[in-house]
Amino acid sequence: MRSIYNIIGMVAFVVTVCSDAVAADAKTTAEALWTEAIAADEAKEYSSAVDKFEHIAELGYASGDLYYNLANSYFKLGEQAMEEGMAKFSRGELGRAVLNYHRALRLNPALEDARYNLELAVDNTNDTESLPESFIATIWRNISNLAHSNSWAVASLVMFGLLLALVIFYLLSNRVVMRMIGFFGAIILVVGVVLCVALALYSKSVAEDDSRAVIICNDTTPVHASPESGSKVIRQPSQGVTVRVSRNHGEWSEIIFADGEKGWIRSVKIEKI
């Protein structure tokens, strides 16, 4: 019996060592690819840069900075097509750029450069205006974009710790002025904790929203009234248009545009953010 346990222990040890070695090798490969990708981008070899950035993502080292640089390379690759005698973004680069800017912001909402470049990229699509948003909703969304959900959660914990300290200060203090400071300070921190928790939950829900997708094609693609090729074409969105997927039916997906209109598109023409 003891020999069986020894064998199991040895196997577990070998597996652990091999796993660590593979992980270390993947990290080294990702770091080398990053250096090569940046160099390729600076040399205007955007196709090579895209391949290397994509390889890093496939290795599991996704990050806001990775997707931001990948999106930039896709966008510049699409513009470079004109120098080769082709139409701008004729190989679907715009859709890929928009997709990866969204992914960058999903992982790091505080990436203002990614947000700015996303707006520039969207200007090249035929995307529609979103439904009107209330002033309060806009302010709330802008505040939530200042940090990741984890950062808001940490801020709430810090404020909660300060709240406990002020409560203790209030209970132990004998001076009226000090007790007032502790009391009103605690009230402010209670509001701060509630707001930070709400912002953390909101940011987390946005980051985990898997219904958003981007249309990926070389130019435009038809959207039908029903999930059938012969049905009426109600819209011809361009690559890079962002939609929400409401449901799937076979090889079709029902999508909702920013203006609220619904239609059916072949699932291969969209990619989830």
Side-chain angles (χ1 to χ4, degrees):
M1 183 66 72
R2 182 176 297 177
S3 62
I4 294 177
Y5 287 137
N6 289 338
I7 293 173
I8 293 175
M10 291 179 62
V11 171
F13 175 76
V14 171
V15 170
T16 301
V17 170
C18 290
S19 298
D20 291 342
V22 170
D25 183 59
K27 183 178 180 181
T28 301
T29 301
E31 291 173 348
L33 284 169
W34 176 267
T35 302
E36 294 171 5
I38 295 298
D41 186 84
E42 291 175 349
K44 297 184 178 182
E45 298 172 358
Y46 302 123
S47 180
S48 177
V50 162
D51 290 340
K52 296 180 189 302
F53 283 133
E54 291 280 17
H55 192 179
I56 295 173
E58 291 172 1
L59 289 173
Y61 290 92
S63 66
D65 288 336
L66 172 65
Y67 286 128
Y68 169 66
N69 282 280
L70 175 58
N72 285 342
S73 293
Y74 266 122
F75 191 86
K76 289 181 284 190
L77 179 62
E79 291 184 319
Q80 193 179 58
M82 298 178 65
E83 301 175 7
E84 302 172 4
M86 295 182 291
K88 190 177 180 180
F89 306 123
S90 59
R91 295 166 294 195
E93 299 92 346
L94 180 60
R96 292 290 174 186
V98 171
L99 174 68
N100 286 289
Y101 282 132
H102 275 301
R103 286 176 172 170
L105 290 168
R106 181 176 183 177
L107 293 178
N108 186 359
L111 276 176
E112 289 302 322
D113 287 344
R115 197 174 304 282
Y116 177 77
N117 287 0
L118 173 61
E119 293 176 0
L120 292 180
V122 170
D123 285 342
N124 288 273
T125 72
N126 63 2
D127 208 349
T128 55
E129 292 291 331
S130 301
L131 293 174
E133 184 179 56
S134 69
F135 176 75
I136 294 177
T138 301
I139 293 297
W140 181 260
R141 177 169 50 78
N142 289 337
I143 292 175
S144 71
N145 288 337
L146 294 175
H148 191 274
S149 59
N150 291 341
S151 299
W152 288 118
V154 170
S156 68
L157 292 175
V158 171
M159 286 190 177
F160 184 72
L162 293 173
L163 172 61
L164 292 178
L166 279 180
V167 169
I168 295 172
F169 177 78
Y170 171 81
L171 294 174
L172 297 179
S173 180
N174 294 322
R175 298 179 60 183
V176 175
V177 174
M178 293 300 161
R179 288 174 66 87
M180 289 180 63
I181 292 175
F183 177 76
F184 288 109
I187 291 177
I188 293 173
L189 285 173
V190 166
V191 174
V193 169
V194 172
L195 284 176
C196 284
V197 169
L199 286 166
L201 293 174
Y202 174 78
S203 297
K204 183 176 175 59
S205 67
V206 171
E208 294 180 348
D209 181 8
D210 64 351
S211 67
R212 294 185 303 157
V214 173
I215 292 177
I216 303 296
C217 61
N218 290 340
D219 187 16
T220 61
T221 190
V223 172
H224 298 260
S226 62
E228 299 174 349
S229 299
S231 63
K232 179 183 178 182
V233 174
I234 61 174
R235 207 156 178 165
Q236 288 275 0
S238 68
Q239 57 171 310
V241 171
T242 303
V243 298
R244 288 189 179 276
V245 179
S246 59
R247 54 178 170 152
N248 297 301
H249 179 75
E251 62 180 12
W252 295 83
S253 294
E254 185 183 45
I255 58 175
I256 305 174
F257 291 92
D259 59 5
E261 186 177 18
K262 295 182 180 181
W264 291 87
I265 190 173
R266 291 191 180 277
S267 301
V268 293
K269 294 296 184 179
I270 57 175
E271 188 166 336
K272 292 285 188 72
I273 294 172

